[in-house]
Amino acid sequence: MVLFDGVISITGITFFMFCLFAIAIIGYAIGRIQIKGVGLGDAAVFIVALLFGALLYDPLVEQLTLATANPEVTVNYTSNALKIVESLGLILFVTSVGFIAGPKFFGNLKRNFKSYVVLGLVIILVGGLSAVGCIYLGRALGEANHEGFTAMVVGLLSGSLTSTPAFSAAKATVAAEYEALVSVGHGIAYIFGVVGVVLFVQLIPKISKANMEEERAKLVSVSGGSDDKKEEKKKLIELDEFGLGAFALAAVIGTFVGMIKIPLSSKGLSGTTFALTTTGGCLMTALVFGHFRRIGKISIMPKQATLKVFRELGLMLFLIGAGIPGGADFVKHFDIMYFVYGAIMTIVPLIVGFLFAKYVLKLSLLNNLGSITGGMTSTPALGTLINTAGTEEVASAYANCINRCSISITVFNYFILIFQYQKVINHTCMHIGGLMTC
């Protein structure tokens, strides 16, 4: 971008960073707009990123393309740059959530373990059955390419539940010629998957006319009361003023933990393996750090102010990194019926899960919604719910549900591929979330 005959020249990496911050400020400004108390909040950043990807992706690619020694060959790193932004944001967000939820996580898990497991399974089961129903509906409406449509629906399911592990697993599971369809489906459904859940966690308290002060009190009682521990008689050693060192330590250890492959068959690492992935590893490590808070006399708990900033910063980066390429794919491959199928796979498990948690499991409103954000694996919705609820306590319910639901949806995706059309499957290597069979 060159202005005033070259007086101002914003190109290359500078242009990329300029775009990121421009998307952020416009998104946050739009997110502040509310209609009867309901607004897009952080999800507005995602929508602006989508619009940017739809309208300005080519100029971004042009700025992030490098020449090589061969004049006929260029190297473009737009995709890698956006993936770094997305991954960094996700690590910042989930690690912050882990630290915030850690002090009450294990107590909450002990008291509500069965409820979280059952609710998570209900959400994933209903979402999976909705996907199967959409497959049969599409065929009835004239979808001739059954194999391709099945791959598309699997992508729609991962997008509707905003599940990156399920998306990666589906791409690795299908045959090579169907990978692009999985990506298209994921991109189309992801938009409503984000916005739909964000609006849901705001609308439900409004519709039910909930007294948020009473709901916060119920959530605290369910979580086991205050998490304030007795003050240490001796002051703990802190690596730095804000706890950045402790945060970085959790991220480093979490990355290692997430990449550990556990063999599940006699073939060892060449057979079926399980891994938490970076997201799951960082989340679980931060939960443990947040629970114990110290190692000997050394504090491993960042300041709450640091965690809140990193949580918001991480969410912003994640939404921009995922939104820009999503907008480019959305415009290129959009089909109204695929969007409808994706919306069905988001709305049905949302409503069924909420009603099941309310009337069968008897969960309080905020515990219910926190569990729903985890069950739907919706990172943006958790950020919105924290602001709506006025408390960080909802993060504990989210953390209790998200990992097992991420694994469940990837497994369900695989079974859809098996039972609906085995020709879609890549029989050379099948990847199920953290599970990989070759």
Side-chain angles (χ1 to χ4, degrees):
M1 183 170 66
V2 180
L3 304 175
F4 307 115
D5 294 327
V7 174
I8 298 176
S9 178
I10 303 176
T11 60
I13 290 294
T14 305
F15 179 77
F16 180 62
M17 300 305 297
F18 175 85
C19 292
L20 294 184
F21 287 112
I23 290 170
I25 183 58
I26 296 172
Y28 279 117
I30 294 175
R32 288 290 295 172
I33 299 172
Q34 295 189 344
I35 299 176
K36 294 185 177 181
V38 177
L40 290 171
D42 294 330
V45 175
F46 179 69
I47 292 177
V48 174
L50 285 169
L51 291 174
F52 179 93
L55 302 175
L56 298 171
Y57 190 76
D58 288 340
L60 181 62
V61 169
E62 181 181 341
Q63 292 297 327
L64 296 182
T65 299
L66 298 179
T68 64
N70 185 345
E72 297 181 359
V73 178
T74 59
V75 178
N76 178 262
Y77 55 95
T78 306
S79 178
N80 287 339
L82 290 170
K83 193 62 183 177
I84 290 172
V85 171
E86 179 184 354
S87 298
L88 176 60
L90 197 54
I91 289 174
L92 288 173
F93 182 85
V94 298
T95 305
S96 299
V97 168
F99 273 115
I100 291 169
K104 291 187 177 181
F105 175 80
F106 294 101
N108 195 3
L109 178 62
K110 184 177 180 180
R111 293 178 181 87
N112 301 284
F113 177 76
K114 291 182 180 179
S115 295
Y116 292 141
V117 170
V118 172
L119 178 58
L121 290 176
V122 166
I123 291 173
I124 300 306
L125 179 62
V126 173
L129 292 177
S130 299
V132 173
C134 288
I135 289 176
Y136 285 112
L137 177 60
R139 292 177 183 177
L141 293 177
E143 288 286 350
N145 184 356
H146 291 181
E147 301 99 314
F149 183 60
T150 299
M152 173 70 76
V153 169
V154 167
L156 290 170
L157 179 58
S158 67
S160 65
L161 298 179
T162 62
S163 175
T164 300
F167 171 53
S168 300
K171 285 184 67 178
T173 302
V174 300
E177 61 266 32
Y178 299 115
E179 286 186 21
L181 292 175
V182 174
S183 298
V184 171
H186 183 84
I188 290 175
Y190 193 90
I191 298 174
F192 190 83
V194 170
V195 177
V197 185
V198 165
L199 293 177
F200 184 84
V201 298
Q202 293 181 85
L203 287 172
I204 290 299
K206 296 287 184 183
I207 294 173
S208 61
K209 298 180 179 179
N211 184 320
M212 298 308 288
E213 186 174 345
E214 292 180 1
E215 295 300 333
R216 285 191 290 269
K218 291 178 183 177
L219 184 61
V220 170
S221 65
V222 168
S223 300
S226 174
D227 64 317
D228 295 330
K229 294 185 177 181
K230 294 181 179 179
E231 292 291 331
E232 299 288 341
K233 293 182 179 180
K234 295 182 179 180
K235 188 176 180 180
L236 295 177
I237 299 173
E238 296 182 339
L239 298 179
D240 61 273
E241 181 181 356
F242 301 103
L244 301 180
F247 191 97
L249 178 62
V252 169
I253 294 176
T255 300
F256 273 101
V257 170
M259 292 296 103
I260 294 173
K261 294 180 180 179
I262 303 173
L264 299 179
S265 71
S266 59
K267 294 182 180 180
L269 293 177
S270 62
T272 303
T273 62
F274 171 79
L276 285 173
T277 73
T278 303
T279 302
C282 288
L283 177 61
M284 295 307 297
T285 301
L287 286 168
V288 173
F289 273 39
H291 176 73
F292 290 103
R293 300 191 180 192
R294 65 189 182 97
I295 300 176
K297 295 182 180 180
I298 300 176
S299 172
I300 55 172
M301 187 70 181
K303 303 294 185 185
Q304 285 297 312
T306 300
L307 295 176
K308 289 180 180 179
V309 170
F310 276 10
R311 187 195 71 212
E312 188 64 29
L313 175 63
L315 181 57
M316 180 195 81
L317 292 175
F318 169 73
L319 292 174
I320 294 174
I324 293 175
D329 290 337
F330 185 83
V331 170
K332 188 184 299 183
H333 303 289
F334 179 75
D335 183 293
I336 187 63
M337 282 308 300
Y338 294 152
F339 183 82
V340 171
Y341 294 145
I344 291 172
M345 293 178 222
T346 297
I347 294 172
V348 175
L350 254 183
I351 295 175
V352 172
F354 175 78
L355 295 177
F356 183 84
K358 180 178 181 179
Y359 294 107
V360 178
L361 300 178
K362 306 296 184 182
L363 295 183
S364 64
L365 178 63
L366 295 182
N367 197 16
N368 185 343
L369 293 178
S371 303
I372 291 292
T373 61
M376 298 293 292
T377 66
S378 180
T379 299
L382 174 63
T384 299
L385 180 60
I386 288 173
N387 294 328
T388 300
T391 176
E392 308 276 353
E393 300 286 345
V394 291
S396 182
Y398 166 89
N400 271 297
C401 288
I402 186 169
N403 270 344
R404 63 177 61 91
C405 288
S406 293
I407 294 172
S408 298
I409 187 57
T410 55
V411 173
F412 207 107
N413 255 350
Y414 176 64
F415 282 111
I416 289 175
L417 291 172
I418 288 179
F419 292 113
Q420 289 301 313
Y421 227 96
Q422 294 193 34
K423 292 180 181 179
V424 179
I425 298 175
N426 174 6
H427 291 285
T428 303
C429 185
M430 296 179 292
H431 183 132
I432 310 175
L435 299 176
M436 180 172 285
T437 306
C438 297

